[in-house]
Amino acid sequence: TYIGPSADLSLTKNVMAGNTSPVVGSEISFELIIKNDGPNNATEIEVKDLLPTGYQFVNYSSSAGLYNSTTGIWTVGSLDKGAVESLIIDAKVLPTGVYKNIAQVTASSLPDPDSTPNNDDGDQSEDDEANAVVTPIQPTSDLSLTKSVNRSSPLIGSKVTFEIIVTN
């Protein structure tokens, strides 16, 4: 058992607006929240959230640090005991690919008493890892077509006007 300074980092992740069934081609936002339950302040914190193949990166915003969409690394920096920081990643939903988006704390200046940073176990058995799964739906349409004529019994050589209406 480790005795000494430690910081219990926990990570949660959700799909903003509860949009777990987005339409292919639409944008979706993932929110990561990291919290330090102490007992000590932590520095050199990094979280990895590399978007899987089912998404195309659009933009990000964070309350602290920087996010690199190429590596998936969010450099959080420092997190005092009791503090919370967040990252929002906006992505376009692609027609095919992997849609399970996994995030994990990969580095911290202090050991975590109940998690192992960067062990990538994928099953969320530790509180320093979180994932979000969405099930994209294909866009659909219901097209109908109507055609009408201004005169149903025109004289030979007279003008008629046809109107075609397509409705989705």
Side-chain angles (χ1 to χ4, degrees), residues 55-75:
Y55 306 100
Q56 178 183 356
F57 175 79
V58 174
N59 197 12
Y60 85 93
S61 61
S62 65
S63 61
L66 300 173
Y67 176 73
N68 182 322
S69 63
T70 303
T71 63
I73 299 294
W74 174 27
T75 306

Side-chain angles (χ1 to χ4, degrees), residues 151 153-160:
R151 287 192 248 168
S153 300
L155 296 174
I156 295 177
S158 65
K159 288 185 175 184
V160 293

Side-chain angles (χ1 to χ4, degrees), residues 22-37:
V23 174
V24 169
S26 67
E27 283 189 21
I28 190 169
S29 296
F30 296 102
E31 180 181 42
L32 277 76
I33 300 171
I34 188 167
K35 181 178 181 190
N36 181 357
D37 288 321

Side-chain angles (χ1 to χ4, degrees), residues 64-116:
L66 300 173
Y67 176 73
N68 182 322
S69 63
T70 303
T71 63
I73 299 294
W74 174 27
T75 306
V76 180
S78 299
L79 197 58
D80 291 345
K81 173 186 169 186
V84 175
E85 299 294 352
S86 66
L87 168 71
I88 297 172
I89 301 172
D90 301 320
K92 180 179 178 182
V93 180
L94 300 177
T96 61
V98 175
Y99 299 106
K100 183 177 183 179
N101 186 353
I102 300 171
Q104 183 180 42
V105 175
T106 56
S108 174
S109 63
L110 295 176
D112 189 320
D114 63 0
S115 302
T116 304

